[in-house]
Amino acid sequence: MLNIKKNLSKIIASKLQNDKYDEAFIEGLISVPPDEKLGDYALPCFRVSDGKNPKEKAAELCALLTGDDDSRDFFAKIDVVGAYLNFYLNRAKISSAIVSEILDAGENYGKSREGENKKVIVEFSSPNIAKPFHIGHLCSTAIGNSLSRIYDFLGYDVVRINHIGDWGTQFGKLISAYKRWGNREAILKAPMDELLKIYVRFHEEAKEHPELEDEARHYFNLLENNDPEITELWQFFVDASLSEFNRMYKKLDISFDSFAGESFYSDKMPEIVDILKEKGLLEESDGALVVRFDDPNMPPCIIIKSDGSTIYATRDIAAAVYRKRHYDFHKNIYVVGTPQTLHFKQVFSVIRKMGYSWADDCVHVGFGYVRFPDRAISTRNGDVVLLEDVLNESVSKTEEIIKNNGTYDQIENVEEAVSKIGIGAVLFEFLKNGRERDIIFDLEKMLDFEGESGPYVQYTYARGRSVLRKAAENNISFDDADYSLLTEDGEYQLIKVLERIQNVVRDASAKNEPYIVTRYIIEIAKNFNKFYNSTNVLKSDPDIRKARLGLIKAVTIVIKEMLYLIGVGVVEKM
Ligand code: ARG
């Protein structure tokens, strides 16, 4: 695909004819001037002057670039400003190339195959059985889903794993609680509420009757030893919880390739312990077996607790080893909150100590907290904010807004549209800033149709679609449009933004930061609205009108593609 900056770098490098100043080096030097009036790109020539006077070098390079037929066509003008070259590109050529490319490629525009034959595991969401699917899990779910779509866009072979929390001593507690106060019917009716209720009760009663803890340990032990009755109970909890989780995933349009949770690794841990022993990495510490690190700031990683049971970290080590063997991953990404940063550091360090160099391909992608300053969201269970409540609230507020706007009755499948907008608004907001920053939950802001929000972008898309519908109704086709006519500032700036698609997605993947895509969508929408508000597309001169309609179609294609990457859908009307 056309990549303007790359093309420009290539042309410049070919004129410099110096191995030191190759295409990649030039690309790193080229910048975008702060003001469009100073050109499309600029090059500081003192970085390529090779001892010569930089001003002279600038003039010399300018003469070379404008002096030959191949490159001349690419530029409208080149200004020499001191030691800088300011490039003004040939707008007609650029516009025509890019808009045609988008319309030809359709929803494949910007995709690449650079990740072909490379497996990227994205582990995300990973809620815990019998515990609420809370807002923190939404962060992981939103970021992980987005990253998996981003890698997929770049051609990687993506494996989505949900590392369900379905193992550990807490299951002993849950079983003990169930045996004492549980009721199957009630759990089937409202699994999460009911399971949480008996779990909380266990903790309260255990304060006065510590012997309950022993009972719980006993049950977990039975579970670890495949006791049929206890395993059946555990399976019941797992199934009840999963059916709840799946309801959420359906709402969010998210799927997984594997639900191999913690229990999946329970029989894979003895081997890990053996390897650690064999390599002399296990040390005793207060009855527990631990791996120590050279870094004095890193606390040892507990592998086996003093009561003989394995823990969370052991399961993560086993999981990573299993994933390497089973998938032979290129990258193994964990989307988990920053409170677990130390945990992953320890896990990756143990793996490195075991002699596996692929430890360096394991990446913890962390994120901050969600804060509710005004407590606008109801909390059913103590202080936990449930995902479902948040989504429901956003959808019902959206419905209210659309009804007030007066468009409710004109929208086809209005319920589906409202849900796409309401849920999209939350996802958009969650993916709008660097992931390690805390999110301040503010529904009003999320649903502000004029702010930097999901609905704003969806509305921009719907606007574009409505012009295209109107054109079709009036039998205006633009199949034979000449896109080199798109040379006005607004059009050209918009086209240049659309051209950056691949660099943007690549940058987002390199940093594992979906917000880079979200910001890009906002930029497209802003540039589109600027162009659209200052032009009467349908009343333009017929040739220009065709070209502009093509551009609008191109914009809707790119917005839809990019919203998909952050998990947000589009609507035709709103
Ligand atoms: N279930 C855990 C939690 O809710 C998250 C699991 C993260 N993934 C992992 N491989 N440890 O906190």
Side-chain angles (χ1 to χ4, degrees), residues 123 126-128 137 163 165 262 312 316 334 336 340 343-344:
E123 187 218 279
S126 311
N128 300 317
H137 291 122
H163 190 80
E262 293 186 42
Y312 188 54
D316 259 325
Y334 298 82
V336 184
Q340 297 195 31
H343 163 76
F344 284 106

Side-chain angles (χ1 to χ4, degrees), residues 242-293:
L242 276 183
S243 75
E244 290 276 294
F245 299 156
N246 281 326
R247 212 154 38 92
M248 292 300 117
Y249 296 135
K250 206 164 160 211
K251 265 189 196 221
L252 294 164
D253 188 22
I254 284 174
S255 58
F256 293 91
D257 300 298
S258 159
F259 278 87
E262 293 186 42
S263 66
F264 181 76
Y265 304 100
S266 60
D267 63 353
K268 296 172 182 60
M269 288 184 289
E271 186 200 347
I272 299 299
V273 176
D274 285 347
I275 299 176
L276 288 170
K277 271 192 191 143
E278 205 177 287
K279 304 212 164 179
L281 295 169
L282 281 186
E283 284 176 42
E284 233 196 271
S285 167
D286 293 330
L289 290 176
V290 307
V291 175
R292 289 185 198 282
F293 306 105

Side-chain angles (χ1 to χ4, degrees), residues 119 121-124 126 161-163 258 260-261 265 316-329 332-334 344 358:
K119 245 181 207 146
I121 292 179
V122 184
E123 187 218 279
F124 66 104
S126 311
I161 299 183
N162 195 332
H163 190 80
S258 159
Y265 304 100
D316 259 325
I317 297 165
V321 171
Y322 172 84
R323 286 178 194 174
K324 184 63 193 175
R325 285 181 191 158
H326 190 75
Y327 298 106
D328 192 20
F329 55 73
N332 177 24
I333 295 173
Y334 298 82
F344 284 106
W358 51 261

